[in-house]
Amino acid sequence: MRSVILSLLLLMTVPVALAGEREAAVAMPDRFSAEVAGAILQNGGNAVDAAIAAQFVLAVTLPEAGNIGGGGFMLIHKDGKQDFLDYREMAPAAAHRDMYLDKDGEVIPDLSVYGILASGIPGTVQGMWQAHHRHGSMPWAELVQPAVDLAAKGFAVPEPLARYATSYARHVGGKHPSVNFGRYFGELEAGKVFRQPELAQTLKGIRDDGADGFYRGETAKIIARFMRENRGLITEKDLAAYQAKWREPIVTNWRDMQLVSAAPPSSGGIAVAQWLKMYDLARPPEEPPVHNSVAYLHLLAEVGKRVFADRAEYLGDPDFYDVPVARLISDQYVERRSGEINLAAISDTPSVKPGLTESEETTHFSIVDQWGNAVSNTTTINLGFGSGVVVEGAGFLLNDEMDDFSAKPGVANAFGALGGVANEVQPGKRMLSSMTPSILLQDGQVRMVSGSPGGTTIITSVYQSILNLVEFGMDAQQIVDTPRFHHQLWPKDTIRYQAGLDSSVVKGLQGMGYRMQENGFGDLQVIVRRNGELEAASQSTGRGASRVIAFAPLAVQ
Ligand code: GLY
């Protein structure tokens, strides 16, 4: 008789496990979430269990992006099937198209970015509840408890968080009467224990009552009262009506692999699919361009022009706007589009039209469990620390996601992205996103889990992480640390790039007519399978922590 003994071995913090062993891995944006997610996996939880626990921990320890006051997307590969959960924020019922315009029809600066009117209805708690209902294996309360403990007992503040919060408090003070960030986070000190009793209370409600602990009852009343007192729009009815939605992920073949990625209301999956496919069609067939050379950056900037022209015109919430997903990623369309690429010079920006007919913050984590299931989860309150508004009595930061709508056609949002009718504000609508949690499958097995923060540069970070693995054979740490670059049609002929890009390449591109702008990029978190083994890596410049967990081989008796 055969019986299987599952014994868990030590948690390894080196990125390679011995061949033949079963492995799991996490790549997380901070060490608290890495510890909790790693322990859940080690104790027999699956990737979704670890993701839920990590999401709540990040709401406590990474307040600039981790959240219960925001939203996100979770991409799941489980038991050989893919599932995509949209827990994006939604415009409240009282929102309307012109809510950010003055009486002359001009956009009121900052109104969609700071203060009480910047927030959509949060989706995170519903998202985690739905994910647990469909895919979780451990009791809900056990997954929320680590976050309750960290909020109630406190944690030692990492130096980068203390620095960021202090400077943000100075920056945001006085932006809008409702901004109260400084009172909650203005005095953080590196190394000092920071407790959040109001947040702990809110998390206890979620632990005990699930999604109802946030969207109904005491917390919902606190949110609605706070909104009324500060002339905000979100009501108890809005909260009770919020639903996270299961959607079909974007799935497309690329080379001998399958790219699985975020569907609308994210623009990310469509954009990455277009970017990879056009790259293949436009690159010299004999051999790839040299990595991060002038020719490589120019080719991918040319693709980016087309990708972002389509994004501005065709993409929005699919419940409100008929997004032509299949046409945008079809081989015929992408082939025609790639034919417009000029490898010798910069295409004239205004003439690049949509093709069919016509500190930035967010955070990401990647998880693979011992059974080969994977979660790729990107979550956000939009810009760092969201709207700068903490719900008093509930202790959490509200998002400023309304800025991801197009306030007015032709006027760029905080990420420089343009939009039109497809992404205008409407009650109950979800704002277009660039969040791109992605999984690359080969022969049905996870080859890569990737994702990043960074507004519109999320898309760039993800497709470049894929090329860095597949085209250039990099290991996980090289993938996240190699300099990235971004072009999105507007501002005209501008390439943003990460420090470390060769200065001769910068000069070469300037010589072609590009404006070169050094910029920070998102904190990539990747897990890859190379030579049959998992590797996990977090960008060296960030607060991230990653690890591979080795389990004993299955013992056969
Ligand atoms: N808030 C950034 C995004 O969703 O694209």
Side-chain angles (χ1 to χ4, degrees):
M1 192 180 84
R2 290 174 153 225
S3 77
V4 174
I5 301 168
L6 241 145
S7 71
L8 304 170
L9 274 188
L10 75 166
L11 187 70
M12 293 181 65
T13 52
V14 291
V16 178
L18 297 176
E21 285 184 334
R22 287 171 305 126
E23 301 166 300
V26 298
M28 314 299 286
D30 79 355
R31 74 174 175 82
F32 303 104
S33 54
E35 273 161 23
V36 168
I40 299 266
L41 295 177
Q42 207 179 10
N43 291 327
N46 67 28
V48 176
D49 295 323
I52 294 166
Q55 174 83 41
F56 286 117
V57 165
L58 290 167
V60 180
T61 61
L62 198 97
E64 64 266 48
N67 66 81
I68 53 172
F73 300 120
M74 184 182 287
L75 179 64
I76 300 164
H77 167 79
K78 186 155 171 279
D79 304 329
K81 297 200 192 86
Q82 288 76 47
D83 232 345
F84 178 65
L85 180 60
D86 162 8
Y87 61 97
R88 182 75 163 155
E89 301 91 329
M90 210 169 86
H96 56 93
R97 192 192 65 187
D98 298 336
M99 64 185 279
Y100 298 113
L101 305 186
D102 64 16
K103 60 180 173 22
D104 300 320
E106 300 302 330
V107 173
I108 302 167
D110 288 348
L111 197 59
S112 61
V113 177
Y114 302 108
I116 200 91
L117 288 175
S119 304
I121 306 162
T124 296
V125 178
Q126 255 289 333
M128 296 309 107
W129 185 243
Q130 293 290 338
H132 185 257
H133 188 69
R134 192 177 274 199
H135 291 296
S137 73
M138 287 175 63
W140 169 260
E142 281 181 37
L143 302 177
V144 187
Q145 189 61 42
V148 172
D149 290 341
L150 282 159
K153 296 178 190 154
F155 64 97
V157 175
E159 192 277 330
L161 171 58
R163 197 167 8 102
Y164 192 4
T166 309
S167 78
Y168 180 78
R170 272 199 299 270
H171 162 80
V172 82
K175 290 271 187 201
H176 189 272
S178 59
V179 168
N180 56 3
F181 179 83
R183 250 194 290 145
Y184 281 79
F185 295 97
E187 314 264 288
L188 294 193
E189 272 180 51
K192 216 167 140 191
V193 172
F194 176 49
R195 294 185 184 83
Q196 300 173 79
E198 287 181 5
L199 179 58
Q201 205 50 38
T202 305
L203 288 165
K204 278 182 193 162
I206 295 166
R207 176 196 64 194
D208 297 341
D209 298 326
D212 281 355
F214 186 88
Y215 294 93
R216 295 168 195 274
E218 189 52 26
T219 298
K221 283 193 191 342
I222 291 173
I223 298 169
R225 188 172 58 235
F226 181 72
M227 284 282 154
R228 280 195 306 277
E229 286 169 1
N230 290 280
R231 299 171 171 232
L233 300 185
I234 299 172
T235 62
E236 271 185 79
K237 209 167 155 197
D238 283 327
L239 290 163
Y242 182 85
Q243 283 300 319
K245 295 193 174 179
W246 293 100
R247 301 190 190 273
E248 286 297 316
I250 298 292
V251 182
T252 192
N253 292 330
W254 179 65
R255 301 194 180 176
D256 63 344
M257 285 158 278
Q258 254 189 337
L259 170 75
V260 186
S261 191
S266 174
S267 57
I270 291 173
V272 169
Q274 288 189 331
W275 228 309
L276 292 174
K277 288 179 173 196
M278 278 195 245
Y279 167 78
D280 270 7
L281 290 161
R283 61 155 261 202
E286 321 75 51
E287 55 177 335
V290 173
H291 183 255
N292 278 3
S293 61
V294 170
Y296 184 68
L297 267 73
H298 171 62
L299 191 171
L300 289 167
E302 280 286 295
V303 176
K305 277 191 156 62
R306 276 91 197 161
V307 169
F308 271 85
D310 283 357
R311 182 189 190 277
E313 184 72 15
Y314 303 124
L315 302 192
D317 182 347
D319 295 340
F320 284 74
Y321 190 82
D322 193 11
V323 180
V325 178
R327 288 167 73 199
L328 285 169
I329 60 172
S330 73
D331 289 345
Q332 296 88 320
Y333 174 67
V334 169
E335 195 171 339
R336 174 159 70 72
R337 263 323 232 175
S338 71
E340 299 165 12
I341 287 170
N342 184 346
L343 289 180
I346 305 173
S347 298
D348 173 49
T349 299
S351 66
V352 177
K353 302 287 183 210
L356 273 185
T357 50
E358 47 277 27
S359 174
E360 303 161 308
E361 281 297 345
T362 288
T363 190
H364 176 87
F365 54 81
S366 299
I367 300 176
V368 174
D369 68 21
Q370 59 176 312
W371 301 280
N373 304 316
V375 166
S376 186
N377 187 83
T378 313
T379 182
T380 187
I381 44 175
N382 199 22
L383 303 177
F385 303 110
S387 60
V389 177
V390 180
V391 178
E392 288 169 17
F396 65 89
L397 272 163
L398 283 165
N399 66 82
D400 56 350
E401 220 70 69
M402 294 295 281
D403 190 62
D404 274 350
F405 279 119
S406 167
K408 183 181 172 181
V411 178
N413 73 1
F415 299 111
L418 301 175
V421 176
N423 190 35
E424 66 187 16
V425 183
Q426 284 178 265
K429 187 176 179 182
R430 282 148 146 94
M431 53 298 281
L432 184 62
S433 172
S434 298
M435 289 185 284
T436 316
S438 297
I439 297 173
L440 201 59
L441 299 175
Q442 193 164 31
D443 302 325
Q445 202 184 31
V446 172
R447 173 95 192 267
M448 178 181 218
V449 186
S450 181
S452 175
T456 46
T457 67
I458 292 173
I459 299 167
T460 314
S461 291
V462 170
Y463 89 74
Q464 283 173 36
S465 72
I466 295 171
L467 287 177
N468 287 345
L469 173 72
V470 177
E471 187 81 325
F472 301 104
M474 292 185 193
D475 66 28
Q477 200 62 54
Q478 288 170 322
I479 289 169
V480 295
D481 285 342
T482 202
R484 279 167 268 138
F485 52 90
H486 175 78
H487 177 63
Q488 59 176 43
L489 187 63
W490 297 100
K492 188 174 175 304
D493 305 336
T494 302
I495 292 181
R496 288 187 249 165
Y497 68 96
Q498 238 175 340
L501 189 69
D502 200 286
S503 59
S504 66
V505 172
V506 175
K507 285 200 185 82
L509 288 159
Q510 282 165 337
M512 286 184 77
Y514 283 109
R515 274 188 58 225
M516 299 299 288
Q517 226 172 49
E518 192 178 308
N519 248 119
F521 275 62
D523 194 14
L524 252 179
Q525 307 290 341
V526 306
I527 298 173
V528 299
R529 192 182 302 278
R530 290 195 332 136
N531 308 318
E533 293 171 4
L534 290 181
E535 297 174 2
S538 307
Q539 204 167 297
S540 305
T541 50
R543 301 218 300 271
S546 56
R547 54 197 54 169
V548 173
I549 302 158
F551 293 82
L554 293 174
V556 178
Q557 289 188 329

